């Protein structure tokens, strides 16, 4: 948990709304977290939970005409919310960079990989092309692309999926950013290549000591690389803590649902998975109270608070280590018992 | 114990005593001609390059492997969406490799395919009723009680509201659309379904719903499946036997427990070891990391195709192709220097 006084990134009560033909989409609704340098925050949640909208907000990449941003996003103390475009452009690439799920959308198809790397470097560094080229080849080598001299002159389509993702990582790291956001960087890749890329991100982080946000829907990926974990659902934070806390004693029924839904390589393969019933909420018409209540098997309805009051994100009290926060109306003792009795024996949780 | 045997006959996990296989595939090959090379000469993508296996009634065979290894191509040949280059496919004792018209029509009702993408596989202009009833219509089948009744039964079977008969695909979520595709595939009461990444596009909570549905259907209807997926944990939950493919070939095949707990082929071991495990926080000790990418199937490596990424490769691996043979661990694997240790204790 980032308990340091001045984390590199501090997001406070972030709200992001989109005006659309069908009405207002509340994509992110009051999200708070922080990341220190040298640490990795894993953001987990299913599609539509607001992960990408959050990261685009940090990067200042939302269209200001159709997007309403509220709250505060401090990058090294500077608020990105409402920052003019020219200032944002200076931050992007140099202080913070992003890796996307599909590198093809981020790499230009008509320019060589080398040219794109050189330009990315020269935007922020007043150096000759030759110097930039040297740096680019170094970076290609650093991310494990074989024969970087030759690869420098090739086009994105000449790269395999894994190599494109490596090139994308090289590009995002070329200016040595302090904050790196990787949005599902391995979702489109095979497990063997995913393992290579995750190792690479781990190594690079140790080397460059940046603050990293890794967005994924895979709790397995999170447990492998994250120091802290933020579980999002319906644009809100369900649970937040260190990876140790969230993975060892998950406290939110949605986190339980994710764990019990995941098939695993261990345990009884004949046992049924325990899916979450129903579908994710429409963010045009967010359910009242706890946004998870229509799918929650523990919801206290009919007089209970779950469909009426939004649960606050509160610290766990009965465990020693501070920093584990959960947004759920269930009494803490009941949650701990429920997890131990019902959840820890199914799916990957076992 | 590495004597070469007929892979099909020795495909472990069941014996001839357990009856005729439903589906038998022998040395199946699919080469796609492509332009390429220095002078635009004709080359071939060796997408599937000699694959053999059997599936018995009510059983699931899982097909796993990295992108491009030939899983979908194999699946498409099975349901005859693709013409094999060579090899033999037998269904209930009949050679269907080059089935035409009448035979193909009967086959279409016995064998069905479900695809990955629940969006593009449903016609957006048709109602759910039309989509699910289409196979009945095309095959001129009038079930007792009428098409509508049958379709509504099918919708109910897959957990959809039968009253949504008149709705269009865009009114359903991804998981629900996949259910519609499953209902359609069940319309003709098939004996076997080829499911090509049926849950890969779904979120984990929805994926679990669909896996449970498919498992229930398999049990209740005694359906056989060829279940194609790149997610090894998903395949483990759905398959009694598993075949691991690499560059167009099966490198290991056997009962689930043997494949997952005591893999014999180094590639199987590496694949399993790459799966991130939510129960092992931050652990990466003892992990096998494969280097590089899969080579091109236009020019696969000589000898063992896995040798360019294999940490155990020796000279013989480049010169002599290892045949599938029974290994100490019990599965059939194609490797000169197989593994024999327990990987996962259950
Ligand atoms: N029509 C075609 N023409 C040429 N090559 C093809 C054709 N269809 C498939 N291939 C090639 O054949 C090989 C096997 O493809 P296939 O689609 O069977 O892989 P797969 O195992 O299903 O992969 P994935 O996990 O990505 O779905 C690949 O190299 C692919 O590029
Ligand atoms: N530009 C936009 N206009 C309207 N709605 C949007 C826009 N971008 C994202 N959304 C919606 O916001 C929600 C969260 O999206 P996103 O952050 O992309 O989810 P994910 O967690 O899968 O990354 C979704 O319901 C999505 O449809
Ligand atoms: S607040 Fe209520 S509905 Fe929400 S997760 Fe907790 S128990 Fe379930
Ligand atoms: S035959 Fe040789 S190269 Fe192939 S998997 Fe076995 S040890 Fe590795
Ligand atoms: Mg996203
Ligand atoms: Mg495929």
């Amino acid at each position: 948990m980032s308990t340091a006084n001045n984390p590199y990134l501090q997001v406070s009560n972030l709200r992001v709304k989109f005006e659309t033909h069908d009405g207002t989409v509340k994509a992110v609704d009051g999200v708070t977290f922080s990341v220190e340098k040298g640490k990795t925050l894993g953001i987990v949640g299913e599609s539509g939970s607001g992960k990408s909208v959050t990261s685009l907000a940090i990067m200042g990449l939302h269209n200001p005409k159709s997007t309403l941003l509220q709250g505060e996003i401090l990058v090294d103390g500077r608020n990105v919310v409402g920052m003019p475009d020219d200032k944002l452009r200076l931050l992007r690439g140099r202080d913070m960079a992003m890796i996307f799920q599909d590198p093809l959308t981020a790499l230009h198809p008509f320019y060589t990989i080398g040219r794109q790397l050189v330009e990315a470097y020269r935007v922020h560094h007043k150096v000759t092309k030759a110097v930039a080229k040297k740096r680019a080849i170094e970076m290609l080598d650093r991310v494990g692309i074989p024969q970087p001299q030759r690869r420098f002159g090739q086009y994105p389509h000449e790269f395999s999926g894994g190599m494109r993702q490596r090139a994308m990582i090289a590009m995002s790291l070329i200016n040595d950013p302090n904050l790196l956001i990787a949005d599902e960087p391995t979702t489109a890749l095979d497990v063997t290549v995913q393992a290579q890329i995750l190792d690479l991100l781990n190594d690079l982080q140790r080397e460059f000591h940046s603050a990293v946000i890794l967005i994924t829907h895979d709790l397995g990926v999170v447990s492998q690389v994250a120091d802290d974990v933020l579980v999002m659902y319906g644009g809100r934070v369900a649970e937040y803590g260190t990876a140790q806390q969230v993975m060892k004693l998950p406290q939110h029924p949605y986190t339980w649902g994710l764990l019990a839904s995941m098939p695993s390589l261990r345990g009884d393969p004949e046992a049924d998975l325990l899916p979450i019933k129903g579908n994710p909420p429409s963010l045009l018409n967010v359910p009242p109270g706890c946004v998870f209540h229509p799918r929650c098997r523990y919801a206290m309805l009919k007089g209970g608070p779950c469909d009426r009051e939004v649960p606050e994100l509160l610290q766990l009290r009965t465990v020693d280590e501070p920093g584990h926060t959960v947004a759920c109306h269930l009494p803490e003792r009941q949650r701990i018992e429920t997890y131990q009795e019902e959840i820890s024996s199914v799916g990957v949780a076992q | 114990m590495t004597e070469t045997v007929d892979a099909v006959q020795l495909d472990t996990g069941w014996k001839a005593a357990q009856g005729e296989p439903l589906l038998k595939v022998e040395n199946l090959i699919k080469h796609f001609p492509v332009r390429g090379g220095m002078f635009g000469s004709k080359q071939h993508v060796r997408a599937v390059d000699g694959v053999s296996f059997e599936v018995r009634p009510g059983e699931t065979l899982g097909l796993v492997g990295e992108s491009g290894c030939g899983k979908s191509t194999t699946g498409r040949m099975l349901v005859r969406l693709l013409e094999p280059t060579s090899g033999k496919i037998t269904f209930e004792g009949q050679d269907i490799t080059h089935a035409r018209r009448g035979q193909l029509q009967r086959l279409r009702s016995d064998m069905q395919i479900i695809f990955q993408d629940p969006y593009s596989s449903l016609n957006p202009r048709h109602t759910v009723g039309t989509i699910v009833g289409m196979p009945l219509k095309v095959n001129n089948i009038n079930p007792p009680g009428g098409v509508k009744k049958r379709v509504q039964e099918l919708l109910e079977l897959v957990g959809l509201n039968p009253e949504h008969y008149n709705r269009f695909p865009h009114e359903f979520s991804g998981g629900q659309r996949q259910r519609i595709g499953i209902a359609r595939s069940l319309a003709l009461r098939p004996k076997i379904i080829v499911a090509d990444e049926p849950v890969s596009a779904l979120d984990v909570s929805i994926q679990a719903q669909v896996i449970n549905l498919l498992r229930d259907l398999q049990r209740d209807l005694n359906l056989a499946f060829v279940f194609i997926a790149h997610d090894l944990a998903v395949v483990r939950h759905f398959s009694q036997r598993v075949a691991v493919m690499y560059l167009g070939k099966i490198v290991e095949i056997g009962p689930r427990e043997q494949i997952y707990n005591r893999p014999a082929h180094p590639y199987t071991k590496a694949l399993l070891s790459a799966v991130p495990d939510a129960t092992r926080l931050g652990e990466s000790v003892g992990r096998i990391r494969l280097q590089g990418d899969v080579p091109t199937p236009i020019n696969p490596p000589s000898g063992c195709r896995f040798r360019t990424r294999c940490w155990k490769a020796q000279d013989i691996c480049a010169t002599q192709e290892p045949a599938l043979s029974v290994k100490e661990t019990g599965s059939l694997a194609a490797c000169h220097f197989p593994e024999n240790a327990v990987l996962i204790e259950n």
Side-chain angles (χ1 to χ4, degrees), chain A residues 46-47 192 199 267 270 276, chain B residues 66 203 205 209 215 236 289:
Chain A
E46 293 174 279
S47 54
T192 54
D199 283 354
E270 289 297 330
I276 307 173
Chain B
E66 284 166 288
D203 266 319
S205 71
Q209 295 172 0
R215 280 173 36 142
R236 179 169 177 270
R289 286 290 181 259

Side-chain angles (χ1 to χ4, degrees), chain B residues 108-115 122 131-133 135 150 154 158 178-195 214 217 221 223 225:
Chain B
R108 289 261 183 269
S109 57
D110 286 337
M111 299 177 85
Q112 287 285 321
I113 188 161
I114 313 174
F115 296 102
L122 306 177
I131 291 170
V132 175
R150 177 85 183 117
L154 286 164
V158 300
Q178 199 52 292
R179 288 173 194 265
I180 297 169
I182 293 168
R184 174 177 59 186
S185 74
L186 295 174
L188 298 174
R189 302 180 192 276
K191 294 176 177 149
I192 185 166
I193 293 181
V194 175
L214 288 172
L217 291 172
L221 308 176
L223 276 168
F225 277 89

Side-chain angles (χ1 to χ4, degrees), chain A residues 45-53 55 101 183-184 215:
Chain A
E46 293 174 279
S47 54
S49 56
K51 307 182 298 294
S52 298
V53 168
S55 45
Q101 171 171 349
D183 190 354
E184 312 239 11
I215 293 175

Side-chain angles (χ1 to χ4, degrees), chain B residues 251 264-267 303-314 316-318 320-322 334-338:
Chain B
V251 296
H265 200 284
Y267 179 61
C304 172
R305 292 183 179 194
F306 182 56
R307 71 176 164 83
T308 53
R309 298 168 87 198
C310 182
W311 64 100
K312 299 177 86 177
Q314 308 275 322
I316 185 181
C317 303
Q320 203 172 316
E321 183 174 345
C335 173
H336 295 304
F337 308 101

Side-chain angles (χ1 to χ4, degrees), chain B residues 85-265:
Chain B
T85 305
S86 66
K88 187 173 170 190
I89 308 173
T90 316
F91 183 75
E92 292 190 316
Q94 280 191 47
D95 185 346
I96 60 159
T97 322
H98 304 287
R100 300 257 172 268
R101 284 196 205 98
Q103 201 188 2
L104 204 55
Q105 192 178 353
R106 210 209 78 197
L107 213 61
R108 289 261 183 269
S109 57
D110 286 337
M111 299 177 85
Q112 287 285 321
I113 188 161
I114 313 174
F115 296 102
Q116 166 172 1
D117 186 351
Y119 300 88
S120 64
S121 59
L122 306 177
N123 187 332
R125 284 185 300 271
H126 286 169
T127 63
V128 169
T130 310
I131 291 170
V132 175
M134 192 66 88
L136 297 168
K137 204 156 183 191
V138 169
N139 289 282
N140 269 324
I141 295 168
N142 210 345
V147 171
K148 179 166 179 183
K149 179 157 171 280
R150 177 85 183 117
V151 167
Q152 291 191 323
E153 283 166 11
L154 286 164
L155 291 178
E156 197 144 22
L157 187 65
V158 300
L160 291 170
N161 186 343
E163 273 154 31
H164 293 168
Y165 185 88
N166 279 320
R167 297 203 178 171
F168 290 89
H170 73 262
E171 298 176 67
F172 294 88
S173 69
Q176 290 171 324
R177 283 183 239 206
Q178 199 52 292
R179 288 173 194 265
I180 297 169
I182 293 168
R184 174 177 59 186
S185 74
L186 295 174
L188 298 174
R189 302 180 192 276
K191 294 176 177 149
I192 185 166
I193 293 181
V194 175
D196 190 355
E197 307 267 7
V199 296
S200 310
L202 307 175
D203 266 319
V204 52
S205 71
I206 310 297
Q207 174 179 299
Q209 295 172 0
V210 176
I211 293 174
N212 282 356
L213 168 68
L214 288 172
R215 280 173 36 142
D216 291 347
L217 291 172
Q218 179 186 36
R219 238 172 274 152
D220 298 347
L221 308 176
N222 195 36
L223 276 168
F225 277 89
V226 174
F227 189 87
I228 298 172
H230 64 272
D231 185 326
L232 288 130
V234 167
V235 168
R236 179 169 177 270
H237 267 261
F238 196 71
S239 317
Q240 285 86 49
R241 287 192 310 123
V242 176
V244 182
M245 288 185 72
Y246 189 78
L247 270 177
K249 291 196 176 272
I250 291 179
V251 296
E252 181 162 11
I253 181 167
R256 165 178 59 203
E257 277 65 30
Q258 281 161 14
I259 299 290
Y260 282 87
N261 300 358
R262 298 181 298 281
H265 200 284

